[in-house]
Amino acid sequence: MDTQPIDPRFSGKPFYGKGRAKLRRFVFFTGVLLVNLAAVLWMADLFFRSGFHRAHVLLLIIFAILNGLLVLGSFHALFGALDIITGRKRSVRISRLAEGAPDHLEKRYAVVMPVYNEDSAKFCARIEAIYRSIETTGQLDKFDFFLLSDTRDLDLWVLEEVAWTNLCRRLKGFGKIYYRRRKVNENRKAGNIGDFVRTWGGGYEGMLVLDADSLMDGSDIVKMAKVMEAYPRLGILQTPPKLIRGVSVFTRLQQFAMRLYGPLFIRGLNFWQLGGGSYWGHNAMIRVKPFSEFCELPALPGREPFGGRILSHDFVEAALMVSEGWEVWLAWDIEGTYEEAPPTLVDHLKRDRRWCQGNLQHFWLIFARKLPLTVRIHLFMGIMAYLGSPLWFLFLIFGTWVAWDFHVSDLTPLPFDSFAERTFGIAGQWQGMILIGFVFTLLFLPKILALAGAMLVPRLRRAFGGFFPLLVGGMMETIVSMLLAPCMMLAHTLMVLSIITGHAVGWGNQSRETDGTAWADALRFHLAPTLLGIAWTVLALQIGWVFTLWMSPILLGLILCIPVSVWTSRSKYGRALARKNILATPEETSPPEILNLAIQAEASVHVALNAQMPHREGVIAAVVDPYVNSVHISLLENSDMGGVDESLANRCLKNGPGALSKSDLSQLLYTMPAMLMMHRAVWLGAMEDLHPIWIKAVESYRMRPGE
């Protein structure tokens, strides 16, 4: 009699029992609700005491939402701190399964890096570093590497092919490192990964998904694979990447904050989500088979921005995995996982525009059937990461309205008896101060806990540059983040309004390096918040100095957003801070080996096989240079050259590549006989039949380097 194979989702003992998981979630979220409820009732009592105003109900509703988010964040930090204090052995740690696993992996795994209009030398350097790092573990035979290009820039396409070829030659990686460029980049990154899964995924147990700026230590990658083999219920294993290589003040502030405060939030998040976690799109190991079966993303009803293809696909893929009974875990103790960040506030907000639209699309899914509670909470937190800003803005607007009404009415609020006064004998002004103190405690509690923890532990204190640099860095990060917050609030508010009014976002490549934001660009980008800040300040002064003082952090942040944006974008100031160890991180004071490998990596660059020489770059090199042309055509499918292709090739030779549209030039680059014909023509054809750009390219071979 045939027996059906046991579904791995239901085989063996769960890593963490359902009953204990429910208890943890009950304790965590009941605490959040009770603390938030107490604060809301306290504010309602304060409003009752000062007399009813039409805006009070709206203020109370918005406060309940915003303060709930604030309490949620503080509880993550608080429970994270408690988890750290109780010790590593008592923490829930999925990666401990690797400690008893066999030394050698049994299954095969793919390291997958999607790229889109990126610097090929840099992402190939990261692949080289990861390749060499895994090689030192003795497990390289179990891993293959895939560069999955969706690059639309034709010159960058050629550079990618050349860099990949050099990389494989130097590492002896042919048959281990693969390159593919999609003709049609449908559905962005999700479609790119989906194409890999459909085409090659069947040969692998799991795939490590990276971004173009990702870097991961080889031993940690092997550990993740061991966990996947040891625990058949595991669908996705996410790691918390650290930010590295920040040069500008903005990126140094980001990586310092994430490195100092991040562990608290990560441990607190792991406390309640356990096997119902989320996927952040990169630096994660995914089991291929269930991902292929359950994570195909349908288009949402309607048109973009709320309909169409899902932009924030990672949260949804994790939601589908968990809803089908697979577990998604956060490996909080995986240390060797890194990424880079946008270098300026402007670049950060441009990236946020895409994330904002993707997260707001989750409104379609948050109330869907079959989704577990943890999934709904993750989707809700992702949505509120952007909706919180317009709610905060409305709270400030309504607060200003109330203050203005009391100012123009010139009336003294009626002294109603309040619960706080009757029960505790608290005067009106003290009741308000207690609420303000409570909110500020919630706001700064994570920073205080993290800073105190780092200062009290000698190893951490030294890793962050020492006592004084750590203290100065913490103070600077707090002040600058307070100045940046109002600008980001307004930017997110405008993003949400833009999406609601039907303006969808495009798909651009992420800026990772820049020499700073120009004053003209900052003025254009931040003019609206600056003008709003000036107008709001004038109105606040009309109301009174007490209200102006209360609003001063918001008003200063809006008025100063242009100079703050420019100053934080400058690399020279970031380097000056680095020389003093201010905003230093452990990865700066003691660089990990994988980072050193990436810095030293140069296998993708070669003097002979090069598509960046003067007069023969990119597409020009693919036609003229014998080596580059050979590499390019070796990656094409064999095809015949039709009349249209021949006509395009002749026009390109006579009038130059600039005479062709991008789609026509792309068609030529995909046609093997056309590329061969053009190569022969520029070397053997009559010069009077060629455009000067080809003649210059051929003549450049007679020049010495530097001429």
Side-chain angles (χ1 to χ4, degrees), residues 138-154:
Q139 308 269 18
L140 187 61
D141 61 311
K142 295 298 182 180
F143 291 87
D144 289 333
F145 297 77
F146 291 83
L147 293 169
L148 308 176
S149 175
D150 263 346
T151 292
R152 297 299 96 189
D153 185 298
L154 301 183

Side-chain angles (χ1 to χ4, degrees), residues 426-449:
I426 298 174
Q429 64 270 27
W430 286 109
Q431 186 173 351
M433 293 302 295
I434 290 172
L435 182 62
I436 293 169
F438 170 77
V439 171
F440 273 84
T441 299
L442 290 177
L443 191 62
F444 292 107
L445 180 64
K447 296 178 185 290
I448 294 170
L449 288 174

Side-chain angles (χ1 to χ4, degrees), residues 174-192:
F174 289 109
K176 291 288 294 178
I177 306 173
Y178 300 91
Y179 171 83
R180 182 274 283 136
R181 177 183 183 267
R182 284 199 298 171
K183 285 187 179 181
V184 180
N185 54 353
E186 183 183 8
N187 198 17
R188 303 178 173 93
K189 181 181 175 181
N192 198 357

